Amino acid sequence: LYVEAIRGGEFQAAVGAWVGDYFDPAGFLEPWSSAHPENAGRWSNAEYDGLLKAAAGETRLATLAKAEELLLREAAAVPLLRAGDAFLAGPRVEGLRPDPMGRVPLQLLRLAK
């Protein structure tokens, strides 16, 4: 019922989650664009859509930062928490360095002598 209500737009507030599937801020910002199928709240803002389209080249990150500011200012999305990861390894384990997406390249792990 919950998912059906979300898909049907029958809510005032809803809890959701999103995982970046590629290492770029646009992966978190594009789902809030007017025509994106994951925009369950159906929030629409022409300025925001324009910023996402304009985000290219040397000013890409600065333009995406403006889009993020607008998204948060209008409260179309309210970040409640960011999940964290915990890794437990013995003192001999070397190379345990998760990338920014939280993945650990296991082929880089080594046991010190």
Side-chain angles (χ1 to χ4, degrees):
L1 292 175
Y2 181 76
V3 173
E4 290 173 17
I6 299 297
R7 287 185 182 150
E10 301 171 19
F11 62 93
Q12 290 183 350
V15 175
W18 189 258
V19 176
D21 48 356
Y22 55 97
F23 189 61
D24 189 300
F28 290 94
L29 298 172
E30 287 172 352
W32 298 99
S33 62
S34 298
H36 199 282
E38 296 296 328
N39 185 353
R42 298 185 176 102
W43 176 70
S44 181
N45 182 299
E47 181 183 359
Y48 183 82
D49 293 341
L51 286 167
L52 291 182
K53 287 179 184 173
E58 293 178 15
T59 62
R60 177 173 174 71
L61 292 179
T63 304
L64 289 174
K66 288 179 186 176
E68 181 182 28
E69 281 179 31
L70 179 58
L71 177 72
L72 296 175
R73 184 172 58 243
E74 294 208 1
V78 180
L80 297 176
L81 65 95
R82 184 198 178 285
D85 295 315
F87 299 94
L88 179 63
R92 291 182 50 212
V93 175
E94 296 176 345
L96 181 61
R97 291 180 185 81
D99 68 15
M101 300 285 287
R103 297 175 298 216
V104 177
L106 297 178
Q107 68 271 24
L108 300 180
L109 295 180
R110 301 281 182 263
L111 281 179
K113 294 185 177 187

